[in-house]
Amino acid sequence: MDLKKKVIAFDMDGTLLNNKKKISLLTKLYLKKLSRKGHIIVLASGRPSRALYKYYNELKLKTPMICYNGAYVFNPHDSKFPKIEFEFPKKTILDVIDRIKPHIKTVMCESDTEIWVDKKDDYLAKFFWYEGMDIHYGELKDTLNKNPMTCIVQTPFEYRDKSEIESVLKNNPELGVRFWTGSPYFELFYKGTSKGNALKTICKYYGLTTEDLIVFGDAENDVEMFNVAGVSVLMKNSTYNLADKTTYISKKDNNHNGIYYTLKEIIK
């Protein structure tokens, strides 16, 4: 690959982060080196911005960040960047929740400043970093007073039939559902909102094409960015059958500097 400036985007959990939720020192130093050379390092996650800032600052980034799988995209250091703020219509959420209510254990919606959750959920609180947020507890039909950016649902493990949930969404063809790996949670999303579309906006802003885009991911919510990137890498530790959608499989997994060793081969 030539040394032209690249946009290099990373999913977080299972990709840039190891199982201890840290960026390894070797990977961190290499990404800082690439930044100094002019490459544009982008964090692309289903997490909110408040859960990304720690890693963003650790890498000393000044680039856009992709949150909520593309529903919220902004650059905290560049007011000229065309911010993306997608709002999930609350009426649609309440309608879908009502139809699958017998199978719901927990449901949570949030914007970048507020959280609406029907009951306490320690796993979601840890993953989404509730600290400092305005939290509304109770039935969403009573508390959800704004359009949020994301909607997460917990169901019993036995109710993980994606086709059955998709049948509930048949009246909303613009909606999709993604199950989280190894957990009883799934997220509702609008099909036009994705990491891939967010990265198109980022590439355009920097005067680059998606052929100048390198992406790393490990799960279903990374497929849209795999589809648009000039070079795409599936992490070796992925539990999804996505190898046919990517250019490479990482040389090592997320616990053994998979990003470092793979990028060293791609960018020579």
Side-chain angles (χ1 to χ4, degrees), residues 4 32 38 43 49 65 70-71 74 81-83 88 100-101 128 130 141 177 184 190 194 201 221-222 229 244:
K4 181 182 177 183
K32 286 182 178 180
L43 304 185
S49 61
M65 64 168 73
F74 72 110
F81 179 80
K83 182 188 291 187
F88 210 130
I100 60 175
K101 190 171 182 178
F128 280 90
Y130 283 4
K141 65 181 177 63
V177 58
Y190 267 73
S194 70
T201 298
N221 64 333
D222 301 315
D244 63 330

Side-chain angles (χ1 to χ4, degrees), residues 65 93 97 108 146 169 209-210 212 217 230 238 246:
M65 64 168 73
I93 290 174
I97 288 172
M108 183 201 79
K146 295 178 183 177
L169 302 178
T209 72
T210 52
D212 304 309
S238 173
T246 60

